[in-house]
């Protein structure tokens, strides 16, 4: 089996494993959320807010905030420990997969980066997330989330107080209603955000740890190839970066946005091209299947029916994709600016007005 094909196969299997690992890590928030729920209920049922003045309200808010601070603190401490473990595991996995790919007769052994190097990389290299939350370090990415959750809970209590709501109403706003399965409360948002933060943080540490292995093996590794997920949920940036290659020390690395599933494979000197017959997983209109490993996201999407294309791209981009006369490659390059930020339809139109005309989009 060609070396890069072995690495690709292992990476794809591993990406599935990593998604499961993320889900497992997400479930660890549940007991902490329960604790928050219980703690808030206790404090809010004790207080008769209608009899409160401002200074008593501020005292209650302080009490609530220190409760939340403590619970989030314990959760994030545990998360950070788990993230370091995951990072070490990922670095070792990458070195092992390089070793497995070594052709017979090559007596090279892939180096595993030190635990200190891995730790430094995950903590001091920013997340690849673009946009308003872009460029954050892992520590502030996690901390800013907990701050936002604390602010949201305090806001609901304060607003309830000033609007003369009963404690029961305020509790309902925070917890949600039983009839809607508590999905309408503030804590449901907290839960969703926790899942996003955990998944994104795991993707970041996995990505950074694997890059450390790449950097520790300059004789073996020459670059990386980004691999997005072939289904209809893949984001604009990830669709457009699929199959793009970068040298080891250049270019963006996933996660490119919260909940990003994009991964990458290491390109080695062992074999310049992927072996013939290598495949990658896809989930198109006909369900799950395998396609050739070198097919790009948009080349794959060209094979899908119009309805699926619209589901993935949205109706306007779908129309442009089908009728604009653009190749899959050109369409991909039109999606992102020089800093890999997604282009709006207006920005795309300024670059390719003819394609819009051909597709009949005004
Ligand atoms: Zn993504």
């Amino acid at each position: 089996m060609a070396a890069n094909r072995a690495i690709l196969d292992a990476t794809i299997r591993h990406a599935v494993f990593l998604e499961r690992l993320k889900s497992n890590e997400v479930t660890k928030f549940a007991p902490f959320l329960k604790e928050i729920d219980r703690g808030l209920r206790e404090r809010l049922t004790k207080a008769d807010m209608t009899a409160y003045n401002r200074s008593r309200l501020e005292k209650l808010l302080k009490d609530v905030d220190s409760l939340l601070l403590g619970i989030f603190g314990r959760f994030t401490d545990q998360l950070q420990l788990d993230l370091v473990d995951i990072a070490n595991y990922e670095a070792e996995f990458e070195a092992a997969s390089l070793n497995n790919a070594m052709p017979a007769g090559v007596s090279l052994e892939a180096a595993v980066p030190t635990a200190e190097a891995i730790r430094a990389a995950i903590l001091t290299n920013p997340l690849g997330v673009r946009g308003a939350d872009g460029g954050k370090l892992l520590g502030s990415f996690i901390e800013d989330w907990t701050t936002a959750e604390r602010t949201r809970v305090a806001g609901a209590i304060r607003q309830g107080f000033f609007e003369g709501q009963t404690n029961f109403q305020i509790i309902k706003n925070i917890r949600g209603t039983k009839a809607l399965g508590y999905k309408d409360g503030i804590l449901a948002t907290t839960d969703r955000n926790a899942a996003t933060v955990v998944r994104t943080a795991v993707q970041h540490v996995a990505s950074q740890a694997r890059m450390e292995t790449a950097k520790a093996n300059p004789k073996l590794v020459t670059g990386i190839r980004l691999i997005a997920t072939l289904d209809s949920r893949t984001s604009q940036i990830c669709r457009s970066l699929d199959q793009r290659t970068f040298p080891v020390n250049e270019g963006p690395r996933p996660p490119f946005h919260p909940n990003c599933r994009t991964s990458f494979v290491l390109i080695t000197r062992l074999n310049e091209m992927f072996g013939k017959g290598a495949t990658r997983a896809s989930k198109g209109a006909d369900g799950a299947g395998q396609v050739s490993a070198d097919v790009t996201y948009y080349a794959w999407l060209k094979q899908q029916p119009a309805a699926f294309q619209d589901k993935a791209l949205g109706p306007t981009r779908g129309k442009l994709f089908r009728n604009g006369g653009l190749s899959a490659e050109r369409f991909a390059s039109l999606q992102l600016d020089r800093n890999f930020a997604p282009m709006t339809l207006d920005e795309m139109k300024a670059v390719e007005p003819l394609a819009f005309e051909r597709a009949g989009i005004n």
Side-chain angles (χ1 to χ4, degrees), residues 142-156:
I142 294 171
E143 203 184 308
D144 290 356
W145 159 63
T146 63
T147 305
E149 300 305 335
R150 283 161 47 208
T151 306
R152 197 175 298 121
V153 168

Side-chain angles (χ1 to χ4, degrees), residues 18-237:
L18 196 64
E19 289 305 312
R20 258 186 247 139
L21 193 72
K22 287 178 189 173
S23 300
N24 178 53
E25 200 60 38
V26 165
T27 61
K28 293 187 182 177
F29 185 61
F32 293 93
L33 186 68
K34 244 187 200 148
E35 218 184 306
I36 291 172
D37 180 38
R38 199 180 329 120
L40 288 176
R41 235 182 322 154
E42 267 168 26
R43 278 159 184 78
L44 287 169
T45 33
K46 251 194 292 174
D48 177 11
M49 300 257 296
T50 49
Y52 268 34
N53 56 24
R54 276 173 202 227
S55 78
R56 277 191 77 185
L57 172 74
E58 289 309 321
K59 213 169 147 251
L60 172 72
L61 288 175
K62 235 179 167 173
D63 183 30
V64 162
D65 196 52
S66 75
L67 166 85
L68 296 181
L69 198 62
I71 298 172
F72 278 121
R74 276 183 283 117
F75 172 69
T76 56
D77 282 353
Q78 186 202 299
L79 174 63
Q80 306 234 23
L81 289 175
D82 287 354
L83 289 172
V84 170
D85 282 350
I86 292 169
N88 285 314
Y89 178 82
E90 287 295 308
E92 274 168 34
F93 162 81
E94 201 60 57
S97 107
L98 283 173
N99 284 330
N100 287 339
M102 219 75 79
V106 179
S107 61
L108 265 171
E109 176 112 28
V112 180
T114 63
E116 294 88 84
I118 295 167
R119 197 184 162 76
I122 67 174
L123 294 178
T124 61
N125 294 344
L127 273 74
V129 172
R130 316 319 261 189
D133 253 4
K136 277 188 189 173
L137 297 181
L138 182 64
S140 25
F141 178 70
I142 294 171
E143 203 184 308
D144 290 356
W145 159 63
T146 63
T147 305
E149 300 305 335
R150 283 161 47 208
T151 306
R152 197 175 298 121
V153 168
I157 297 172
R158 191 181 289 114
Q159 193 167 42
F161 171 79
F162 279 98
E163 292 178 4
Q165 293 174 10
T166 63
N167 292 48
F168 177 73
Q169 281 172 312
I170 295 172
I171 292 172
K172 203 167 80 178
N173 291 340
I174 292 174
R175 303 189 75 211
T177 51
K178 199 175 176 187
L180 290 170
Y182 301 105
K183 286 191 163 56
D184 53 335
I186 281 175
L187 292 185
T189 307
T190 304
D191 197 28
R192 265 199 312 278
N193 291 347
T196 297
V197 164
V198 168
R199 285 177 184 279
T200 311
V202 170
Q203 192 77 340
H204 165 74
V205 303
S207 192
Q208 289 299 323
R210 295 177 54 220
M211 280 316 300
E212 282 310 296
T213 303
K215 287 176 196 164
N217 292 282
K219 283 189 179 148
L220 279 171
V221 183
T222 59
I224 65 109
R225 179 185 301 271
L226 294 170
I227 305 286
T229 309
L230 296 180
D231 66 23
S232 62
R233 294 190 296 134
T234 303
S235 67
Q236 186 184 358
I237 180 168

